Amino acid sequence: MVVSHNTMEGVVSVKTELCLHMDYAVITPTNAASATVSGCTAPSISNCEECLRNVSCLWCNANKKCVDYPVRTILPPKSVCPLSDARWGVCWVNFEALIIAMSVVGGVLILSLCICCCCCCRNRKNKQHDVTDQKIEREKEQRKMRQEERKSEMKVRHDEIRKKYGLFKEPNTYSKFENN
């Protein structure tokens, strides 16, 4: 919405733009020569709660002022407000503590994710080893059974050959004589 103001003294016309957002109004003049008044630097904001209603604002506890959050930099520079006095999001946590807490939570999440992935991979490998061990054990049993079958078949064949040629071992009728 663009509003035009005319003054009686002359032909000076200043156009201001009124932008309505969720909870606040921003009045910014479109003429470059006039002063700007934004939602964060409005003189009506006198405490932290009022300032932080707008997400794009930063409350500086050192000078008790609400300033626009410097979006071009990730962290606000000391020239805007020291980190220990800066408040963003909530009034009871300074920016330094907020950064440390978020870093710790992020680190814990990443560490727990890595641990979970390692445990899952180890369990998967153990299951694969169990399956392969079972398969090897089955094959070993099958080989042993086949070997026993072949051994009994060979014994039967050898016995038949011994019978055929009269080499069949009969029980020993002679026993060792012992002197007592």
Side-chain angles (χ1 to χ4, degrees):
M1 167 189 244
V2 177
V3 180
S4 178
H5 300 286
N6 290 326
T7 58
M8 292 297 228
E9 289 87 33
V11 196
V12 177
S13 175
V14 176
K15 293 183 180 180
T16 58
E17 188 176 331
L18 179 64
C19 299
L20 295 176
H21 294 287
M22 289 185 205
D23 290 346
Y24 62 94
V26 178
I27 302 172
T28 55
T30 55
N31 188 350
S34 56
T36 63
V37 178
S38 72
C40 296
T41 57
S44 64
I45 298 175
S46 60
N47 63 14
C48 181
E49 286 81 19
E50 289 177 10
C51 176
L52 296 183
R53 284 185 190 149
N54 183 355
V55 181
S56 65
C57 295
L58 175 75
W59 177 260
C60 186
N61 237 5
N63 56 11
K64 305 287 187 209
K65 287 189 178 178
C66 186
V67 294
D68 287 320
Y69 189 89
V71 292
R72 286 190 170 84
T73 60
I74 296 174
L75 300 175
K78 280 190 176 182
S79 61
V80 173
C81 188
L83 286 179
S84 59
D85 292 325
R87 305 287 190 261
W88 181 75
V90 289
C91 294
W92 52 272
V93 177
N94 67 25
F95 211 83
E96 245 176 1
L98 186 67
I99 291 170
I100 292 170
M102 288 173 61
S103 300
V104 168
V105 168
V108 167
L109 287 174
I110 290 171
L111 185 65
S112 62
L113 182 68
C114 290
I115 289 172
C116 287
C117 288
C118 289
C119 289
C120 290
C121 290
R122 181 176 294 142
N123 285 341
R124 187 178 302 144
K125 285 181 182 177
N126 286 343
K127 287 179 183 176
Q128 287 175 350
H129 286 301
D130 290 345
V131 169
T132 55
D133 287 346
Q134 289 173 354
K135 184 178 178 183
I136 290 171
E137 193 65 33
R138 272 195 315 270
E139 289 174 356
K140 186 177 177 182
E141 288 296 321
Q142 289 173 352
R143 279 194 305 267
K144 193 173 185 179
M145 288 174 58
R146 285 192 306 258
Q147 182 185 6
E148 289 295 323
E149 288 174 6
R150 282 195 305 264
K151 191 175 183 182
S152 64
E153 287 174 6
M154 287 296 287
K155 187 173 191 268
V156 168
R157 238 172 69 207
H158 287 153
D159 287 344
E160 287 174 0
I161 293 172
R162 283 188 187 108
K163 268 187 185 178
K164 181 178 176 183
Y165 293 106
L167 300 174
F168 188 67
K169 287 184 180 178
E170 293 181 17
N172 193 1
T173 54
Y174 299 104
S175 62
K176 189 175 185 183
F177 184 73
E178 293 181 17
N179 286 333
N180 288 17

